[in-house]
Amino acid sequence: MESDASTSPRRRSTSCYSDSGDSSCSEPFSECGSDDLSFTPAAAAGIHRILLSCVAEASEDAISSLVAELESPSPSLDSLRRAAMELRLLAKHNPDNRVRIAAAGAVRPLVALLSHPDPLLQEHGVTALLNLSLCDENKAIIVEAGAIRPLVGALKSAASPAARENAACALLRLAQLDGSAAAAIGRAGAVPLLVSLLETGGTRGKKDAATALYALCSGARENRLRAVEAGAVRPLLDLMADPESGMVDKAAYVLHSLVGSSEGRSAAVEEGGIPVLVEMVEVGTSRQKEIATLSLLQICEDNAVYRTMVAREGAIPPLVALSQSSSARPKLKTKAEALIEMLRQPRSPSLRARPAAVVAAE
């Protein structure tokens, strides 16, 4: 259905979109949320010695002793909690400890904690795995230990928000291993859960969910369809249209990944994405203008109806300004010019011969 600019839902903004000031030189996806272990004052006083010792390198004997406690045939709940917490802290504060802990065989017993009924123990297990996954050498070890499905289970039903958010971060880390890991995480059911976290989570949860979705959808094409079917496009557009969310860049990059599929393009148009993207080209930061232009270019290719909708939304003037901007990158100018060329022939039945500017820029 074609859209008319006079009835557009697009909300004009007088200020630039920005997640954190001028974002043109920073990465849209910073590191996932950290291990924010906190305690009451009384508890903090009781573990001060542990925190100090965990900053330093741990001996192999000390780590092996903690692993043995996790593997004990009849451990007390307190001993399990203490061992899991110490491994969590050791892995958080010292990169060398991450290697030692994995080498000592801690990964499998930590994975087993993810299905434990005690919420605190489950949180320690999830977060210890997250901290271990900060070391690239450990990612394959964690995947081979069968962590993906238990982490997805924690993302779905862990009692504490921290455990759910840290499970999302751990899955993000594992998705970065390779395409097969990203595909396996998708098959385990992570994508709908991440979309739910994107919709209903707190500030950190939303950011972690967007970052994980970007990794999963970039790593495996099949996850893009899963994200679209789970309804990811609507909350992404809501975040993109709200500068106060602090998530404009992240959401825009995830959406760009999704519109790489025909299902994603259809969903973006049906959910009102064209006005949001056009406004971003008009008033966004340099990086936002670029990602919005690239998304519109994908939406418009091979679809005359979508080109008409984009043109009627008023995209050509800001695209012309972008193509003539002295601060825009040459590649972005070329993409903007290619999109302008498409929009000036919006009723073409097809684009069998793509604009030369697009081909030259790729």
Side-chain angles (χ1 to χ4, degrees):
M1 180 176 179
E2 296 185 358
S3 171
D4 187 274
S6 64
T7 60
S8 167
R10 179 152 57 109
R11 174 174 52 81
R12 294 288 176 180
S13 171
T14 57
S15 61
C16 285
Y17 292 108
S18 178
D19 287 3
S20 56
D22 182 6
S23 59
S24 58
C25 296
S26 60
E27 288 298 322
F29 293 98
S30 58
E31 293 300 315
C32 206
S34 62
D35 172 6
D36 297 321
L37 184 60
S38 59
F39 304 94
T40 63
I47 65 161
H48 182 64
R49 177 189 58 79
I50 297 175
L51 287 169
L52 290 177
S53 65
C54 287
V55 174
E57 292 185 5
S59 69
E60 293 182 4
D61 288 344
I63 291 173
S64 295
S65 176
L66 293 171
V67 175
E69 286 191 52
L70 294 184
E71 295 180 320
S72 174
S74 56
S76 67
L77 180 59
D78 285 344
S79 68
L80 282 176
R81 284 178 172 176
R82 185 185 68 82
M85 183 184 67
E86 289 200 36
L87 288 170
R88 168 183 178 172
L89 292 171
L90 286 168
K92 174 181 179 179
H93 289 291
N94 191 293
D96 291 332
N97 286 343
R98 296 169 191 150
V99 177
R100 293 190 181 95
I101 291 169
V107 172
R108 288 190 181 277
L110 286 171
V111 170
L113 296 182
L114 272 56
S115 57
H116 197 282
D118 180 65
L120 182 56
L121 193 54
Q122 188 179 64
E123 180 181 330
H124 286 327
V126 168
T127 313
L129 290 170
L130 165 60
N131 293 340
L132 290 176
S133 71
L134 297 175
C135 172
D136 288 341
E137 298 173 33
N138 289 340
K139 291 176 182 175
I141 297 172
I142 296 170
V143 170
E144 291 167 3
I148 288 177
R149 288 195 176 276
L151 282 170
V152 172
L155 176 63
K156 180 179 181 179
S157 58
S160 75
R164 294 193 295 272
E165 291 167 355
N166 289 343
C169 285
L171 290 168
L172 158 67
R173 298 289 181 185
L174 300 184
Q176 295 169 341
L177 178 62
D178 53 38
S180 62
I185 293 169
R187 289 194 297 271
V191 174
L193 299 173
L194 290 168
V195 173
S196 177
L197 184 60
L198 185 70
E199 292 178 305
T200 64
T203 301
R204 181 195 155 186
K206 289 177 184 288
K207 291 181 177 180
D208 291 348
T211 307
L213 282 170
Y214 182 77
L216 290 173
C217 293
S218 300
R221 285 181 172 270
E222 63 200 68
N223 287 333
R224 298 178 189 176
L225 179 57
R226 292 188 176 104
V228 172
E229 291 178 341
V233 171
R234 180 69 268 159
L236 289 171
L237 290 171
D238 289 343
L239 292 168
M240 289 167 60
D242 179 14
E244 299 300 318
S245 71
M247 296 227 1
V248 176
D249 291 30
K250 291 178 176 64
Y253 272 77
V254 178
L255 183 74
H256 178 253
S257 177
L258 298 186
V259 298
S261 69
S262 60
E263 296 86 358
R265 291 190 288 274
S266 297
V269 173
E270 290 168 6
E271 293 288 352
I274 287 175
V276 176
L277 289 166
V278 171
E279 184 173 7
M280 190 173 287
V281 174
E282 187 173 359
V283 301
T285 63
S286 297
R287 185 171 66 199
Q288 292 161 5
K289 290 175 185 288
E290 180 166 356
I291 197 63
T293 299
L294 295 176
S295 294
L296 286 170
L297 193 59
Q298 285 188 301
I299 288 170
C300 289
E301 286 184 1
D302 299 317
N303 195 305
V305 173
Y306 293 170
R307 293 198 297 276
T308 300
M309 294 171 69
V310 172
R312 287 186 174 180
E313 192 58 43
I316 291 179
L319 285 168
V320 170
L322 185 59
S323 69
Q324 297 174 350
S325 171
S326 59
S327 61
R329 296 191 305 132
K331 183 176 180 180
L332 175 56
K333 290 183 179 182
T334 302
K335 294 288 188 180
E337 290 167 357
L339 183 52
I340 293 167
E341 183 180 344
M342 284 187 191
L343 298 181
R344 283 176 173 164
Q345 48 175 357
R347 298 187 182 277
S348 301
S350 68
L351 281 177
R352 294 186 183 89
R354 296 172 65 197
V358 177
V359 177
E362 293 180 344

